[in-house]
Amino acid sequence: MAKVYFVGAGPGDPELITVKGRRLLEAAGMVIYAGSLVNPALCAGLKAELHDSAPLTLEEIIALMARGIAAGKTVVRLQTGDLSFYSALAEQTSRLRALDIPYEVVPGVTSASAGAASAGLELTLPEVTQTVIFTRLAGLTPVPEKENLRELARHQASMVIFLSVAAAEKVKEELLPAYGPAAPVMLVEKASWPEERILTGRLDDLGSMVRKARIGKTALIYVGPALTGAPAHFSRLYHPDFRHAYRP
Ligand code: SAH
């Protein structure tokens, strides 16, 4: 029976999708992709009927899926990174369950991994930290008070902060008490895209780094003592490090 496949598109580089995800895209009769973040190159040359979900509501997306399934098509829902967090997966799958539409989720390379990879970093260093926290500041989606950044920071683990560069000054204020002003931070904008940028510096400079480099919203903030594991990146404190992602 036809199914909806939620496929993690990866962080941007079209080669960073799984083999399974690629195969499903090629077999699909309908692809609904998140146009705001998914690299359009992933959809080039597909035989499927293509829909950008950016202007659509949840109900419109579900209606498209239902139409595709009723027509016997394999439907691929293509979303950035991995779908296990910040993906609205649960809203979509609960609607599909209500409609008795079968679905499957195919994992993807999260942008958090892509940014760490581009910087050549391991976020868990023996004797330093063995924990990575993925979190965000509240935006349109609230964050439960017990998970506020200031509390999470008390662990001094590695942190990857999503969806929050626009409020970098607030991130800094929340992190400062636990990590201290000299803690290493890294900003990765458009990880794995040709226009990728990596900036490193000190926590007390985080706000001005974002402002001066005009970092856009497709970026991640990394913080924590494990970032010092790449000394090359911190020998140029304050100097934005512009790099391209596609390497031979
Ligand atoms: N589930 C996705 C995250 C979706 S939320 C994942 O696994 O990556 C969208 C946020 O992810 C963006 O606001 C940004 O903080 C981050 N993001 C997504 N793609 C990115 C990329 N290529 N480089 C840096 N950050 C990215």
Side-chain angles (χ1 to χ4, degrees):
M1 189 193 170
K3 248 190 200 178
V4 175
Y5 291 90
F6 290 87
V7 173
D13 178 347
E15 293 195 326
L16 292 180
I17 188 171
T18 62
V19 173
K20 186 169 193 169
R22 185 71 229 162
R23 180 174 60 72
L24 287 166
L25 275 181
E26 275 155 18
M30 180 188 281
V31 173
I32 309 169
Y33 65 98
S36 52
L37 283 168
V38 167
N39 191 334
L42 280 169
C43 296
L46 298 180
K47 64 174 162 51
E49 169 188 333
L50 295 177
H51 298 274
D52 180 1
S53 63
L56 303 179
T57 63
L58 174 65
E59 285 314 312
E60 287 167 337
I61 292 168
I62 300 298
L64 265 181
M65 290 172 172
R67 175 162 74 66
I69 294 298
K73 293 180 173 170
T74 292
V75 177
V76 168
R77 174 71 171 120
L78 189 64
Q79 292 185 223
T80 188
D82 179 69
L83 286 126
S84 61
F85 52 94
Y86 310 137
S87 63
L89 176 68
E91 298 164 29
Q92 298 175 81
T93 55
S94 72
R95 295 287 294 120
L96 293 183
R97 283 195 301 278
L99 296 170
D100 270 329
I101 295 177
Y103 63 85
E104 197 176 313
V105 183
V106 177
V109 175
T110 174
S111 56
S113 301
S118 289
L121 279 180
E122 178 182 3
L123 299 176
T124 53
L125 290 185
E127 320 276 334
V128 178
T129 180
Q130 291 293 295
T131 302
V132 184
I133 296 173
F134 288 1
T135 189
R136 59 168 299 171
L137 280 182
L140 287 179
T141 309
V143 172
E145 178 49 31
K146 61 185 187 302
E147 296 169 15
N148 76 65
L149 210 48
R150 191 174 290 252
E151 281 298 307
L152 296 180
R154 288 172 51 189
H155 296 284
Q156 294 183 51
S158 292
M159 240 194 235
V160 185
I161 305 169
F162 289 74
L163 296 154
S164 303
V165 264
E169 207 59 56
K170 162 106 167 134
V171 170
K172 178 183 100 178
E173 292 309 322
E174 295 291 295
L175 298 180
L176 269 176
Y179 287 97
V185 290
M186 175 171 81
L187 286 157
V188 183
E189 182 186 50
K190 300 217 79 175
S192 87
W193 291 72
E195 62 270 36
E196 171 187 280
R197 291 194 289 170
I198 300 180
L199 277 72
T200 54
R202 287 166 48 115
L203 177 57
D204 55 0
D205 276 335
L206 180 62
S208 65
M209 283 164 65
V210 170
R211 272 194 312 278
K212 281 187 198 147
R214 296 176 196 274
I215 296 293
K217 65 178 175 7
T218 307
L220 294 167
I221 302 168
Y222 295 72
V223 66
L227 300 188
T228 52
H233 287 285
F234 292 95
S235 57
R236 286 163 293 174
L237 279 184
Y238 306 112
H239 289 280
D241 179 5
F242 296 86
R243 300 202 314 172
H244 289 275
Y246 292 91
R247 300 194 182 83

